[in-house]
Amino acid sequence: MMPSDESAAALQVADSKAAAPAMPQTVKVEKTIGLPAIGFCVTQGEAATTLFVGMSDFAVHRIDMAAEKIEAIPIGQERHNSYVTGLVRAGDKLVSGGYDGALIWWNMASGEVIRRVESAHSKWVRMLAVSPDASRVASVADDMTTRLWDASCGDLIATWNDYEIKTPHGFPSMLYAVTISRDGRWLATGDKTGIVLVRDLATGQIAARLETPIMYTWDPKARRHSIGGIRALAFSNDSAMLAVGGMGKVGNIDHLEGSSRVEVFRWQDNVRLYEIEDNKLKGLVEALHFGPGDAWLAAGGGDNSGFVTIYRMDDGKLAAQEKVGSHVHDFVFGTSPDTVYAISHNQAAIIKLT
Amino acid sequence: MASNISGLGPQENGLSRRRFLSAAAAGVTAGSVADMTAIHGLRSEAMASELKKQNKRVILLWLAGGASQFETWDPKPGAKTGGPFRAIPTNVTGIHISELLPELAQRMQHTAIIRSLNTKIADHGTGADLMECGRVPDPGVKYPDIGAVVARELGRLESKVPDYVSLYTSTEGRRKGTSGFLGARYSPMFLSESMTPANVVRPDIISEIDHHDRAALRDVLAKRFTTARRNQAVNSHMSAYQRVHGLMASADLFDIEREPESVRNRYGSSQFAQQCLIARRLVEADVPFVKVARAWWDSHGQNFETHQELCADLDHSMSVLLDDLAERGLLEHTLVITLGEFGRTPNINASLGRDHFASAWSCSLSGAGIRGGVAYGKTDDEGHRVVEGEASAGDLFATILAALGIDHQHEYMLGSRPIPLADFGTNPIREVLA
């Protein structure tokens, strides 16, 4: 998913700074493409215009965004046994994770399955991240474990169990988000109750613990449950900042009616730089990416409809935003950060930042 | 409704008056005004007495807001509409339910699933009216809900405990329940602010000694009075006072601290689990009908997250409840129902939610009078419609009554108007009955 692609996206940023807007003033949906199912996660192939998308039809699809006729085509013959919710590229391989608890290593070119780890997690895999050198893949799941895998062969390297299995109110917790910093040193994870842990990827030692309790959205009286949680994480390109995405306080948790919420930390000092809430385009923030030079932060998400929003990182204010047809689950930058490929509910969108 | 009850015969009037007196006294405590307005049509008193002797009880687990049949009793893994969760086998060969209910899957021998409800109304208020009363609301008649009917049919006049208790402490979708034309005597004791009823607790300004002294003085005076005036009305009045004291004493039933720690731990710390424990204590003390409402399943957004949370609560709480009832020999006398106002749409909306849907959904019946290990009815491959065994709200109402040994065709006479317990033309689903 999006943080897992951060390394790839960041590399593109470095390669194409000249094409990137210093500070986007507008966000505009240029084109939408229908998808055969719900798209949950996206990563890119050798060409930034080649997308691989994990979907609700249990398959990983390939989409050539530069083609005259853009269509989603399942790779290979095999599928997960449930929604595909995590996807990264590690060199010439793809690694996918799903609600079936499985991880699958794919030959990116042929779609052939190289390795399938059926019980990678005992509950639903929520997200994957890949190290910049493509040697490690991290997975998080609702068994509340973070696991580190050898990206080349699929062997398990480490398991971390630092999160509570249950929420403070006694219900099953969920471990939604994971990302790895661009320098490959730090791994961050975020759970349903708003706890962020940053650990040293080499040693496994926890380096920081941050809290974003508002994102928990527990409703103690009217409905007695919660639907929030940390859904997105992104390190800045210099690894100094960590952006956390979710939803703010919500009056009616039957719907995603809470303000979209981003908190940005100077994480090594446990200093919250920005606490950003948007009441205009509401709902969950599902994906975050820093722009070139960390001047801005792009957020994607939504309620029943979707959004892409740009926040300035000099003051945390909104710079530009646009409504996208349906709830954005993930996005990546194109050949340069002036293009965003957003994956959403039965739809992909090409979005221009100017 | 009082205007609808003309034409009662002398015997019927006597019955009504007696019950009115009883209810009036109870009403003082309950803070309500009794208005006994309905009576039975023809039925053998011996039959009614035998029914009450069977000690049948009901615990209704009301899944307020509407739980998804896909994520509970009728999973469709792999279908476009099926969502992400697997179906898991149960301990009954051939029956699979959602993986979100793993504990209940191991207790399917107690449970019959009905997968073919087509109740048509997908609006919270009217849908709840329909499912609670078993018929479409009629502006001319205030129908009693299932709790009031069971309280009326299975409750005992001499009982010292409430006949109908409803626990609903969340605010969303809160519904008090209605005794309709049966009158306030069968209204629920409704707990909405805490798990202990406030209106049966002795006021602090009256000491325990004073309380007993007052009761003793009243007893002395009453006995002197009744010695000179022996008649049914006076006896009934005495009985009503005893009931008031019984209701006050029943406050202990709501105090789960009186349970061993091991039992409390077994149920767990969620409010729903604790209310299930209260429900067990109440049926054990012969309360005929207990409703435990769990909000709020109305998952227009993030249906799967919602069900991961709420199903875990339901799965554990109901499983412990079934075990506890079975171990105490109560399950064969207690019908445990899971039901809400409707199910959820096959289509998954852009918020990963499911919306209201009443055309093809599920409920479950466990325990008393039920043939366990049955999955009745069938929906199509994507869950859009019922293809086998279609059942209405009235059919379900009739089935519940039949499981309790109550004749669903028995009629209340509202004035000269006969009103069957279950709606005209409805039938119990025999396949799920023991």
Side-chain angles (χ1 to χ4, degrees):
Chain A
M1 292 193 64
M2 83 288 153
S4 62
D5 286 313
E6 187 183 35
S7 54
L11 289 170
Q12 293 155 22
V13 169
D15 294 343
S16 55
K17 275 190 177 178
M23 179 59 64
Q25 302 300 310
T26 62
V27 180
K28 187 179 179 189
V29 177
E30 192 170 75
K31 187 175 186 178
T32 58
I33 303 103
L35 296 180
I38 305 164
F40 289 109
C41 47
V42 58
T43 190
Q44 287 158 302
E46 294 289 352
T49 52
T50 302
L51 305 185
F52 292 92
V53 180
M55 291 199 196
S56 64
D57 62 359
F58 305 0
V60 175
H61 293 250
R62 179 191 176 106
I63 307 174
D64 183 356
M65 299 300 278
E68 192 170 322
K69 183 186 178 189
I70 301 174
E71 56 184 343
I73 300 166
I75 64 165
Q77 300 298 313
E78 294 198 40
R79 297 191 174 200
H80 276 270
N81 291 313
S82 188
Y83 288 2
V84 182
T85 46
L87 185 64
V88 292
R89 176 166 73 92
D92 59 356
K93 301 180 187 68
L94 295 171
V95 185
S96 61
Y99 266 47
D100 54 3
L103 295 180
I104 299 178
W105 273 253
W106 309 77
N107 179 311
M108 186 168 66
S110 68
E112 180 188 356
V113 170
I114 300 164
R115 181 166 184 185
R116 187 173 186 125
V117 181
E118 283 297 347
S119 299
H121 286 271
S122 61
K123 282 195 172 182
W124 307 284
V125 175
R126 294 291 190 165
M127 196 181 284
L128 304 180
V130 64
S131 62
D133 65 0
S135 67
R136 298 286 183 267
V137 169
S139 58
V140 290
D142 285 353
D143 58 10
M144 303 308 287
T145 66
T146 304
R147 292 199 157 146
L148 192 65
W149 307 83
D150 185 317
S152 62
C153 63
D155 287 349
L156 180 63
I157 295 169
T159 299
W160 295 300
N161 299 293
D162 302 293
Y163 284 95
E164 295 291 336
I165 295 289
K166 293 198 170 182
T167 66
H169 298 91
F171 298 103
S173 192
M174 295 154 198
L175 189 50
Y176 286 117
V178 61
T179 189
I180 296 175
S181 63
R182 191 184 172 200
D183 60 12
R185 188 170 174 197
W186 308 108
L187 177 141
T189 50
D191 79 347
K192 177 170 185 162
T193 66
I195 304 295
V196 177
L197 295 178
V198 182
R199 68 176 72 244
D200 185 314
L201 192 58
T203 66
Q205 293 296 308
I206 293 175
R209 183 181 194 275
L210 313 172
E211 294 186 10
T212 61
I214 291 174
M215 293 186 190
Y216 178 24
T217 71
W218 169 254
D219 175 348
K221 185 62 180 169
R223 296 163 176 85
R224 213 166 270 280
H225 72 91
S226 61
I227 56 172
I230 293 170
R231 304 301 183 99
L233 289 165
F235 281 104
S236 55
N237 294 299
D238 65 2
S239 304
M241 289 187 287
L242 180 63
V244 185
M247 187 167 65
K249 190 174 178 183
V250 54
N252 179 0
I253 63 172
D254 309 346
H255 301 264
L256 297 175
E257 288 186 352
S259 52
S260 54
R261 184 176 177 88
V262 174
E263 297 184 31
V264 182
F265 292 85
R266 195 167 68 227
W267 64 271
Q268 285 176 311
D269 303 320
N270 202 350
V271 172
R272 185 184 283 105
L273 296 173
Y274 306 121
E275 205 171 348
I276 307 165
E277 290 224 348
D278 180 15
N279 278 306
K280 186 179 171 196
L281 297 183
K282 294 184 172 184
L284 290 163
V285 171
E286 301 267 20
L288 291 165
H289 290 298
F290 280 87
D294 298 327
W296 48 271
L297 175 70
D303 46 20
N304 211 40
S305 64
F307 62 76
V308 169
T309 299
I310 306 296
Y311 295 108
R312 291 198 299 260
M313 285 295 98
D314 57 347
D315 60 4
K317 302 291 186 191
L318 189 149
Q321 69 179 169
E322 176 73 342
K323 203 170 185 177
V324 181
S326 64
H327 186 115
V328 173
H329 288 286
D330 200 1
F331 72 88
V332 289
F333 292 125
T335 48
S336 78
D338 66 346
T339 301
V340 167
Y341 297 132
I343 300 302
S344 57
H345 197 87
N346 299 85
Q347 189 183 86
I350 301 172
I351 298 166
K352 286 291 181 184
L353 311 181
T354 53
Chain B
M1 298 309 300
S3 61
N4 284 348
I5 58 161
S6 58
L8 300 180
Q11 186 184 358
E12 293 162 343
N13 267 319
L15 183 64
S16 178
R17 184 168 58 247
R18 188 177 74 239
R19 288 187 177 142
F20 173 81
L21 287 169
S22 173
V28 170
T29 296
S32 59
V33 178
D35 85 321
M36 182 59 215
T37 57
I39 59 161
H40 282 298
L42 292 174
R43 184 167 69 181
S44 153
E45 282 299 318
M47 188 187 298
S49 176
E50 181 57 34
L51 181 60
K52 291 171 196 273
K53 281 179 192 170
Q54 291 175 7
N55 280 329
K56 293 284 179 65
R57 306 287 174 244
V58 177
I59 297 174
L60 169 59
L61 303 180
W62 181 254
L63 310 184
S68 166
Q69 65 280 9
F70 293 94
E71 278 70 46
T72 53
W73 305 116
D74 192 12
K76 305 281 184 188
K80 187 178 178 183
T81 56
F85 301 119
R86 293 174 303 151
I88 55 172
T90 67
N91 63 342
V92 174
T93 304
I95 297 180
H96 290 66
I97 61 176
S98 169
E99 66 173 314
L100 299 182
L101 302 175
E103 293 187 54
L104 286 170
Q106 295 308 310
R107 290 157 179 82
M108 198 50 60
Q109 77 275 14
H110 298 307
T111 298
I113 302 167
I114 298 172
R115 288 174 167 159
S116 49
L117 290 172
N118 181 1
T119 56
K120 298 179 172 48
I121 296 175
D123 162 77
H124 285 298
T126 320
D129 287 341
L130 173 67
M131 299 315 299
E132 287 173 349
C133 297
R135 56 189 106 205
V136 177
D138 178 341
V141 181
K142 287 186 178 176
Y143 293 113
D145 66 21
I146 185 68
V149 171
V150 170
R152 176 70 180 83
E153 296 301 310
L154 301 184
R156 301 179 193 204
L157 281 177
E158 73 278 14
S159 172
K160 291 184 177 180
V161 294
D163 292 322
Y164 178 6
V165 176
S166 176
L167 298 115
Y168 197 158
T169 43
S170 298
T171 53
E172 184 64 47
R174 185 178 285 171
R175 293 170 62 85
K176 189 173 181 180
T178 176
S179 55
F181 59 71
L182 291 180
R185 168 66 178 79
Y186 299 106
S187 291
M189 175 188 276
F190 186 55
L191 283 81
S192 60
E193 296 303 322
S194 77
M195 295 201 289
T196 306
N199 55 3
V200 297
V201 175
R202 174 176 49 77
D204 289 339
I205 57 169
I206 301 173
S207 71
E208 184 69 36
I209 294 171
D210 282 349
H211 179 62
H212 281 102
D213 285 352
R214 287 180 185 202
L217 176 61
R218 200 208 69 81
D219 283 347
V220 170
L221 296 174
K223 279 176 187 165
R224 188 179 299 166
F225 182 83
T226 54
T227 302
R229 301 170 184 79
R230 288 195 175 280
N231 67 55
Q232 200 172 29
V234 171
N235 289 341
S236 184
H237 198 66
M238 287 285 288
S239 162
Y241 265 98
Q242 287 169 359
R243 180 176 167 78
V244 169
H245 280 273
L247 288 171
M248 292 180 76
S250 72
D252 286 351
L253 296 174
F254 297 86
D255 182 5
I256 59 172
E257 292 299 317
R258 291 173 180 270
E259 288 288 325
E261 189 178 3
S262 59
V263 174
R264 283 183 277 128
N265 290 342
R266 187 179 181 194
Y267 275 85
S269 61
S270 82
Q271 187 186 65
F272 181 59
Q274 292 181 346
Q275 290 176 333
C276 285
L277 176 53
I278 291 172
R280 192 272 287 159
R281 287 173 61 79
L282 290 171
V283 297
E284 195 171 33
D286 286 341
V287 175
F289 193 95
V290 184
K291 176 180 175 181
V292 181
R294 193 351 172 159
W296 179 241
W297 297 74
D298 195 20
S299 50
H300 295 285
Q302 301 283 293
N303 173 75
F304 308 117
E305 311 304 306
T306 298
H307 280 76
Q308 278 178 254
E309 198 166 62
L310 298 188
C311 283
D313 202 13
L314 171 66
D315 186 46
H316 179 71
S317 303
M318 182 173 163
S319 295
V320 175
L321 177 64
L322 292 177
D323 290 351
D324 197 7
L325 289 169
E327 289 161 14
R328 290 165 191 270
L330 293 170
L331 188 55
E332 62 183 298
H333 303 291
T334 307
L335 174 61
V336 180
I337 305 166
T338 67
L339 184 65
E341 56 262 51
F342 40 63
R344 314 249 25 126
T345 50
N347 292 331
I348 298 161
N349 67 32
S351 295
L352 292 183
R354 296 189 192 270
D355 301 311
H356 303 175
F357 187 65
S359 303
W361 60 291
S362 306
C363 69
S364 75
L365 306 170
S366 309
I370 294 301
R371 186 176 158 217
V374 170
Y376 174 81
K378 193 176 175 185
T379 52
D380 66 22
D381 289 345
E382 293 193 342
H384 290 286
R385 63 189 182 88
V386 174
V387 294
E388 200 174 296
E390 183 168 301
S392 68
D395 294 330
L396 177 62
F397 205 90
T399 305
I400 292 168
L401 295 176
L404 298 170
I406 301 169
D407 178 5
H408 74 286
Q409 292 179 315
H410 176 69
E411 292 173 341
Y412 294 130
M413 295 300 294
L414 195 59
S416 58
R417 179 177 174 177
I419 297 180
L421 270 62
D423 206 0
F424 292 102
T426 60
N427 293 295
I429 302 167
R430 297 289 171 199
E431 290 85 345
V432 304
L433 296 173

